[in-house]
Amino acid sequence: MWISVTLQAEAAKAEALSDALMEAGALSVSIEDADAGTEAEKPQFGEPGHLPTALWDHSRVIALLDADADLPALLAAASTATGLASVPPYTTETVAEQNWVQLTQSQFEPIRITDRMWIVPSWHEAPDSDAINIELDPGMAFGTGSHPTTRLCLEWLCDAVQPGQTVLDYGCGSGILGIAAARLGAADVLGIDIDDKAIEAAADNASRNQVTMRLQHSRQPLDTAFDIVVANILTNPLCVLAPAIAAHVAPGGRVALSGVLEPQAGQVIAAWAPYIALKVGASLDGWVRLEGQR
């Protein structure tokens, strides 16, 4: 059994209070928008490694503590370390022991991409046995089908890939896009990533789904052009790598990019302009998919 403590905090103090609670003995700490679910809610967007400049004006700091923790002493120590004159207003609730594996699995249901494609965790039955069902569990590498950027790319692949084509998944992560391309009939699929763990995860997932997918590290040379190129990474790498990725799009070939927030679309389009003209093909939850053809 544990105790969950929720404290109110101003944006300027929320992160410092979070750190102080961890130092004082909290098992875990998270920060949320205290106005979530109201008209005052403020969505935060940011790329990994580039956090928003400020948190919410009204934040909730939620700490998980051992049931036998000295709550008043712990909160007083954290508040003092943060420079607060007193302990902020807070509430507590008891967190009972649970089957955490079962609870985690219950949060991941099959995901419908289109009428013909589903992403199905291994512990679920496929909702449509006649569809293309990709078995994929949450893991260390990015890409389970739940993130808007992954969904945008999968939807595009369902329309773009024709049997016999060649496909490059640049920044393959879990391998989900390459696996989807193979299941859609691509004759040759290559996945590239900068992370050795991602390559291992992609290989395991390809094997699980019984598809052939070549994989290599981004440091290895590549001089092949492909009919279809998809890159679901981030805005900055997409801009920096524009000449390198564009060079692998065959004449007449198509490319789709995601991992781009709506306000960043113009930046990526400009970076790619010398190589391939891009346009916004679709958007979802603040993210866009950019498309082009050589």
Side-chain angles (χ1 to χ4, degrees):
M1 186 174 294
W2 299 273
I3 299 174
S4 176
V5 184
T6 301
L7 304 96
Q8 303 302 315
E10 296 179 358
K13 295 290 187 180
E15 287 194 70
L17 181 58
S18 173
D19 293 341
L21 286 165
M22 288 297 294
E23 288 291 329
L27 302 174
S28 67
V29 182
S30 62
I31 304 175
E32 299 178 355
D33 184 0
D35 296 321
T38 73
E39 293 183 357
E41 180 178 0
K42 294 182 178 179
Q44 297 272 10
F45 296 104
E47 296 181 355
H50 300 275
L51 298 177
T53 55
L55 294 173
W56 305 279
D57 294 337
H58 305 106
S59 297
R60 270 195 301 258
V61 178
I62 304 172
L64 187 67
L65 313 175
D66 282 318
D68 58 356
D70 186 341
L71 180 59
L74 187 150
L75 295 181
S79 299
T80 299
T82 308
L84 297 173
S86 61
V87 176
Y90 68 90
T91 59
T92 65
E93 65 176 310
T94 300
V95 180
E97 294 275 2
Q98 299 190 56
N99 184 330
W100 295 108
V101 172
Q102 186 179 52
L103 180 62
T104 300
Q105 290 183 347
S106 70
Q107 297 172 358
F108 293 92
E109 297 288 333
I111 300 169
R112 177 188 173 279
I113 303 302
T114 67
D115 287 340
R116 62 188 299 215
M117 180 177 288
W118 287 76
I119 309 301
V120 185
S122 60
W123 51 85
H124 278 283
E125 291 290 331
D128 181 358
S129 59
D130 294 329
I132 295 173
N133 292 297
I134 299 175
E135 183 180 313
L136 202 72
D137 295 339
M140 293 179 63
F142 177 79
T144 64
S146 61
H147 195 275
T149 61
T150 309
R151 181 185 291 271
L152 286 167
C153 290
L154 288 169
E155 290 174 349
W156 182 81
L157 287 171
C158 285
D159 288 334
V161 176
Q162 300 298 317
Q165 289 185 317
T166 58
V167 176
L168 171 63
D169 178 6
Y170 201 101
C172 62
S174 69
I176 185 172
L177 301 183
I179 293 168
R183 293 291 305 277
L184 288 163
D188 179 43
V189 180
L190 173 64
I192 291 179
D193 207 281
I194 195 172
D195 186 346
D196 289 326
K197 292 294 184 182
I199 293 173
E200 292 176 14
D204 290 342
N205 289 327
S207 176
R208 177 187 298 188
N209 285 276
Q210 301 180 337
V211 302
T212 300
M213 178 178 175
R214 297 185 294 120
L215 294 158
Q216 72 177 54
H217 197 280
S218 58
R219 62 174 169 262
Q220 295 178 250
L222 177 65
D223 56 6
T224 309
F226 297 80
D227 300 315
I228 298 287
V229 175
V230 60
N232 181 23
I233 41 181
L234 293 170
T235 290
N236 288 339
L238 286 173
C239 292
V240 172
L241 295 170
I245 299 176
H248 299 306
V249 182
R254 300 173 64 186
V255 60
L257 312 176
S258 197
V260 181
L261 292 167
E262 288 179 341
Q264 301 168 334
Q267 178 184 347
V268 180
I269 290 172
W272 276 70
Y275 316 103
I276 297 176
L278 299 177
K279 65 177 182 180
V280 175
S283 62
L284 181 63
D285 295 343
W287 300 87
V288 299
R289 181 182 70 228
L290 302 177
E291 306 170 7
Q293 185 169 15
R294 179 178 288 283

